[in-house]
């Protein structure tokens, strides 16, 4: 068994990582030319990633998996990695700090006020409401089951990244939509809330297509990274309306505050409003 395979097996069976994490390790380690790369080979791997079109965020994502393997091959799985670890590592590539794409207030109003008729449209509308109201990831929404919805206390139980469950609140308006959908389409506790015609899990590509199509029908072009933009929109509005960044971290399921901090960067309209109040010339 190769060192790559042994590392992945230990992560899978000893650390109990999810299948998605296993796939991440497998795809990331393919960039290494050998099981014991030199520092020059690590640099060459990063250059090949960039030449193949990977963005800085994609390179850093692969680098995290590679660095985890390099630590394991040097110190084993017992000792945690830290700044003082002597093993080789892939240096982080600087990422540009871009403005996160979000839906505008007018676009949100159009989506919320949309009156669907057919079952597929009702399902899509409910998905949009869940994403806007809870800020959950698309995969978390598509894997929701009837038992995960507490209508009495208005709470959702989400299965997040790394098999980490979390409980998030939802609004009275979403409760009304959930209650009607569950009652009308006979959603059982064990059944998927948003299932396909064959009661299987919906694919994110299919839902992305449907969301883009509906946005076009409503007369606007959705922002880039459309499905994740619902999450960005929720986070920005959460902070804009006085929510705490620490509470937002728990709601979004971020393991560190660093990810949540990105949402604290106010958008241009917020900066303009503040500047208009404090500007000396405007007085």
């Amino acid at each position: 068994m190769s060192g790559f395979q042994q590392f992945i097996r230990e992560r899978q069976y000893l650390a109990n990582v999810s299948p998605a994490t296993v796939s991440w390790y497998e795809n990331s380690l393919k960039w290494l030319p050998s099981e014991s790369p030199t520092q020059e080979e690590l640099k060459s791997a990063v250059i090949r990633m960039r030449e193949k079109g990977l963005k800085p965020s994609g390179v850093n994502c692969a680098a995290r998996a590679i660095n985890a393997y390099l630590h394991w091959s040097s110190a084993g799985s017992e000792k945690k990695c830290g700044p003082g670890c002597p093993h080789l590592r892939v240096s982080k590539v600087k990422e540009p700090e871009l403005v996160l794409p979000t839906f505008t207030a007018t676009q949100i109003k159009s989506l919320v006020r949309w009156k669907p008729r057919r079952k597929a449209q009702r399902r899509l509308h409910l998905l949009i409401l869940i994403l806007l109201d809870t800020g959950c990831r698309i995969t978390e929404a598509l894997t929701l089951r009837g038992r995960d919805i507490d209508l009495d206390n208005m709470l959702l139980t989400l299965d997040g990244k790394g098999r980490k469950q979390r409980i998030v609140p939802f609004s009275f308006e979403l409760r009304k939509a959930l209650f009607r959908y569950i009652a009308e389409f006979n959603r059982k506790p064990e059944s998927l809330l948003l299932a396909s015609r064959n009661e299987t899990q919906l694919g994110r590509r299919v839902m992305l297509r449907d969301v883009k199509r509906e946005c076009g029908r409503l007369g606007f072009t959705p922002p880039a990274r459309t499905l994740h933009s619902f999450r960005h929109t929720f986070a920005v509005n959460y902070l804009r309306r006085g929510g705490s960044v620490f509470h937002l971290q728990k709601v979004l399921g971020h393991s560190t505050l660093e990810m949540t901090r990105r949402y604290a960067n106010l958008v241009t309209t917020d900066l303009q409003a503040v500047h208009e109040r404090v500007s000396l010339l405007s007085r």
Side-chain angles (χ1 to χ4, degrees):
M1 187 180 297
S2 70
F4 295 152
Q5 291 173 323
Q6 182 63 27
F7 165 72
I8 292 173
R9 280 171 62 85
E10 286 193 18
R11 298 298 296 166
Q12 183 176 5
Y13 297 115
L14 299 183
N16 196 32
V17 299
S18 66
T21 304
V22 170
S23 178
W24 170 54
Y25 283 135
E26 290 172 344
N27 292 329
S28 300
L29 294 177
K30 288 178 182 177
W31 293 104
L32 295 182
S34 66
E35 294 181 11
S36 302
T38 63
Q39 191 65 54
E40 288 302 315
E41 288 175 330
L42 293 178
K43 291 180 181 178
S44 298
V46 172
I47 293 173
R48 280 188 288 111
M49 291 182 204
R50 297 292 286 139
E51 288 175 342
K52 290 292 184 179
L54 262 69
K55 296 180 180 179
S57 57
V59 173
N60 290 334
C61 184
R64 288 196 296 272
I66 293 172
N67 287 338
Y69 165 75
L70 294 173
H71 171 78
W72 172 86
S73 63
S74 173
S77 57
E78 302 299 326
K79 184 180 177 182
K80 284 191 174 183
C81 186
C85 276
H87 66 81
L88 299 178
R89 64 182 70 229
V90 179
S91 299
K92 186 177 180 180
V93 178
K94 185 177 181 180
E95 298 181 31
E97 293 189 6
L98 304 176
V99 176
L100 297 173
T102 58
F103 288 87
T104 66
T106 304
Q107 292 170 349
I108 294 171
K109 188 178 294 184
S110 298
L111 289 170
V112 172
R113 291 183 176 178
W114 169 40
K115 301 296 183 184
R117 296 181 179 180
R118 300 191 304 272
K119 180 181 178 180
Q121 291 179 330
R122 293 277 303 278
R123 183 183 62 199
L124 177 62
H125 189 235
L126 182 61
L127 172 65
I128 291 172
L129 295 181
I130 291 172
L131 295 176
L132 284 173
D133 196 55
T134 67
C136 67
R137 302 177 179 93
I138 180 63
T139 306
E140 295 170 344
L142 295 179
T143 54
L144 273 174
R145 296 186 179 272
R147 62 171 181 264
D148 301 324
I149 303 165
D150 184 351
L151 292 174
D152 293 331
N153 298 304
M154 296 193 292
L155 297 172
L156 288 183
T157 301
L158 302 173
D159 291 317
K161 285 185 176 181
R163 293 176 175 167
K164 296 177 183 176
Q165 276 194 343
R166 71 183 187 280
I167 299 176
V168 300
F170 58 85
S171 67
F172 180 73
E173 292 300 319
L174 181 58
R175 180 168 75 168
K176 290 194 292 185
L178 286 167
F179 178 80
R180 290 169 184 156
Y181 186 89
I182 292 171
E184 186 171 342
F185 298 111
N186 195 27
R187 296 289 84 195
K188 303 295 184 183
E190 296 302 318
S191 61
L192 288 165
L193 176 67
L194 305 168
S196 68
R197 186 181 304 173
N198 300 321
E199 291 297 322
T200 56
Q201 183 179 323
L202 294 165
R204 60 180 298 154
R205 289 179 181 272
V206 176
M207 302 318 295
L208 173 61
R209 178 202 64 193
D210 291 348
V211 169
K212 285 185 173 182
R213 181 185 297 167
E214 189 55 40
C215 289
R217 196 188 67 80
L218 292 173
F220 66 88
T221 301
R225 301 180 64 192
T226 304
L227 293 178
H228 212 64
S229 292
F230 286 108
R231 189 166 162 89
H232 296 163
T233 304
F234 168 84
V236 169
N237 281 276
Y238 187 95
L239 294 173
R240 185 180 287 163
R241 298 189 179 198
S244 162
V245 70
F246 299 103
H247 291 145
L248 180 62
Q249 178 189 356
K250 296 299 181 183
V251 172
L252 295 180
H254 289 158
S255 55
T256 65
L257 198 60
E258 178 61 26
M259 282 298 298
T260 316
R261 185 190 61 81
R262 297 183 182 183
Y263 298 110
N265 295 326
L266 299 177
V267 293
T268 306
T269 52
D270 297 314
L271 298 177
Q272 288 174 332
V274 174
H275 186 77
E276 190 62 30
R277 291 200 310 268
V278 302
S279 173
L280 294 174
L281 297 184
S282 65
R283 294 182 180 182

